[in-house]
Amino acid sequence: SADASLTSLCCGSNPGMVGELNEYGRLKTPDAHIEALQQLLDALKPSAVTDLDISSIGIGPTGAGRVADYVRDAKASIVTINISQSKIGVEGGQAIVEALKTTTLESIVIGNDLTLQLKGELESDSFDASGQSIDPGYAMIMAWWLTTPVTASLVLLNIAFNKIGAEGGAALVEGLKTSSVKFLGIGKQFKTADGTLITGSLVRTGVNLSLAGRVGEVTKGPDSDGDVKLKWLDDGSESDW
């Protein structure tokens, strides 16, 4: 069983813990070792852990369902949980949403590293979720989040550069119907270093763009798909397309 005095636990960045890896050490099959996740969650249920990081450990739809059960059944009141960089799918996203409806969680981390505040009020009327690898499963969570009191003052939502899919898009449309969002950034939009949103027609080499909290200079593109490559200003490395 977990140490009764332990309140924070980080198991992140270990995709082989729950998933199966390919020959290059990257995630091949999520949930391949689902029993390992269940053993961890069973050990944690009677513990005092309130801050849990299980990001990038190979969780898939089945694993997301187990996490949802844990969030509901844990003895301690969970404050924050990190399930970012996981392949939870639509089914997993829906399971997480059902658990969130009755939980005391204050925040959940999804996508690449995107924190959704679940209590109180947002400090800003804009929210940038661009380039955060929001897939259909994570889109389900965001769609529900948009219906909560936390987002009551939200005016601008940027979800550009995410592959939310048809199901994720449909869920977001439903969530937006009752939200206060007036401006929505989708598709191939870019944000300049000063925060201005522009379309691909205005992007050219030498322009500085901001993505997921980093600023880079356009070195290639846009290509036929509207994608670009950036040279990150913080370390000089080159981004993917």
Side-chain angles (χ1 to χ4, degrees):
S1 61
D3 187 337
S5 64
L6 186 68
T7 59
S8 180
L9 181 63
C10 178
C11 303
S13 301
N14 184 16
M17 178 178 173
V18 179
E20 178 186 1
L21 304 182
N22 62 20
E23 58 185 308
Y24 304 106
R26 297 176 180 174
L27 181 63
K28 176 184 178 181
T29 309
D31 289 337
H33 308 299
I34 192 66
E35 70 280 355
L37 176 63
Q38 191 61 60
Q39 289 171 5
L40 171 66
L41 298 178
D42 286 344
L44 288 174
K45 281 181 181 179
S47 77
V49 170
T50 58
D51 184 352
L52 179 61
D53 182 352
I54 47 175
S55 61
S56 187
I57 64 170
I59 290 175
T62 301
R66 305 290 178 88
V67 172
D69 291 339
Y70 162 72
V71 169
R72 279 192 298 263
D73 301 338
K75 176 182 178 182
S77 295
I78 311 300
V79 175
T80 181
I81 191 166
N82 187 340
I83 58 168
S84 64
Q85 300 175 55
S86 301
K87 305 295 184 182
I88 65 174
V90 171
E91 179 184 344
Q94 291 171 335
I96 294 292
V97 165
E98 289 305 309
L100 291 177
K101 290 178 180 179
T102 57
T103 186
T104 58
L105 268 176
E106 294 182 7
S107 65
I108 184 171
V109 186
I110 64 172
N112 287 334
D113 189 21
L114 182 68
T115 299
L116 300 183
Q117 179 182 329
L118 302 177
K119 303 294 181 183
E121 298 178 357
L122 296 178
E123 295 181 357
S124 172
D125 63 359
S126 64
F127 190 79
D128 185 7
S130 62
Q132 279 285 345
S133 297
I134 303 298
D135 61 10
Y138 288 137
M140 295 290 162
I141 299 174
M142 282 203 69
W144 169 80
W145 178 69
L146 289 170
T147 68
T148 65
V150 175
T151 63
S153 61
L154 192 61
V155 176
L156 186 151
L157 174 65
N158 186 4
I159 55 171
F161 299 102
N162 290 300
K163 297 180 179 180
I164 61 176
E167 290 178 285
L172 284 169
V173 167
E174 286 301 311
L176 287 166
K177 285 181 179 179
T178 57
S179 79
S180 58
V181 173
K182 294 182 175 63
F183 303 98
L184 181 66
I186 57 175
K188 296 297 182 181
Q189 290 188 321
F190 301 82
K191 187 170 71 172
T192 62
D194 65 3
T196 304
L197 290 175
I198 60 176
T199 60
S201 62
L202 299 177
V203 175
R204 57 186 62 87
T205 56
V207 172
N208 285 346
L209 300 178
S210 175
L211 180 64
R214 300 178 74 185
V215 176
E217 178 185 342
V218 177
T219 57
K220 297 178 182 178
D223 63 8
S224 58
D225 292 324
D227 295 327
V228 299
K229 277 198 171 186
L230 303 177
K231 178 181 179 182
W232 297 115
L233 300 188
D234 53 7
D235 62 10
S237 63
E238 187 177 56
S239 71
D240 296 327
W241 284 99

